Amino acid sequence: MRIGIGYDVHRLIEGRKLVLGGVVIPFEKGLLGHSDADVLVHAVCDALLGAAGLGDIGMHFPDTDPEYKDISSIKILDKTYELVNSKNFKIANIDSTIFADAPKLLSYKEAMEKNIARSIEIEPECVNVKATTFEGLGMIGKGEGIGAMCIVLIQSRKKTNT
Ligand code: MG
């Protein structure tokens, strides 16, 4: 079994849609980025790539590549899963936390879990999304950005226990 960790932050600006875990969330601002800037899904991708020893999201999906301009990050996760799958790993479970003082995310977490689970072909019960605030402190507390952290466990599909 192998574990991986992913972390990401994006800046909140006006005039962008807020997309977290593939869910469009009504809010006055959205995240700035080359893709849809889905910070949660980016953290999941980095955790998966890290667990599989496959580098990071910037290496595979560079923000200079026009192919990824404004793309749904769920599509990046689909491709990340293909990479992990091609190395003969299956995903055991995912745990994640979003850092945001606003908006409130509780009512969207189940939809996010389902979107992520569908993309990586595991049961929604094996994907957990949490959210916490920075209590007004720092860049996230002041609403300048949203962050996310993710940890994953993967297992080889081969019979050995590695
Ligand atoms: Mg990112």
Side-chain angles (χ1 to χ4, degrees):
M1 296 204 283
R2 299 169 60 119
I3 60 166
I5 189 167
Y7 177 73
D8 197 18
V9 175
H10 280 261
R11 182 187 296 272
L12 269 173
I13 61 157
E14 283 172 11
R16 292 267 301 182
K17 272 193 295 192
L18 178 61
V19 185
L20 291 170
V23 180
V24 179
I25 295 165
F27 193 52
E28 70 247 27
K29 290 180 177 178
L31 294 171
L32 178 62
H34 184 65
S35 63
D36 64 1
D38 187 329
V39 71
L40 171 61
V41 171
H42 291 184
V44 173
C45 290
D46 251 356
L48 285 168
L49 292 168
L54 288 168
D56 64 30
I57 191 171
M59 211 175 101
H60 293 279
F61 311 102
D63 64 6
T64 47
D65 189 334
E67 191 187 338
Y68 305 119
K69 178 99 179 90
D70 295 324
I71 195 176
S72 161
S73 295
I74 291 287
K75 290 200 175 118
I76 294 175
L77 183 58
D78 292 344
K79 287 172 186 249
T80 298
Y81 175 61
E82 280 173 27
L83 291 169
V84 171
N85 208 21
S86 72
K87 293 269 280 185
N88 254 324
F89 290 115
K90 65 175 180 178
I91 299 159
N93 79 298
I94 288 188
D95 189 23
S96 62
T97 303
I98 302 167
F99 308 113
D101 276 39
K104 289 290 166 218
L105 299 171
L106 181 66
S107 55
Y108 304 103
K109 288 196 290 186
E110 199 179 320
M112 294 180 201
E113 288 166 355
K114 280 187 181 156
N115 285 342
I116 293 166
R118 191 183 310 117
S119 173
I120 59 174
E121 298 183 325
I122 62 174
E123 294 301 314
E125 294 73 31
C126 299
V127 178
N128 196 67
V129 175
K130 310 184 297 297
T132 191
T133 71
F134 270 32
E135 300 197 346
L137 297 168
M139 61 179 181
I140 286 169
K142 289 179 173 54
E144 293 169 3
I146 290 179
M149 186 175 274
C150 176
I151 189 161
V152 306
L153 185 71
I154 63 172
Q155 279 176 296
S156 175
R157 291 185 197 275
K158 295 173 194 157
K159 289 243 161 92
T160 58
N161 194 28
T162 54

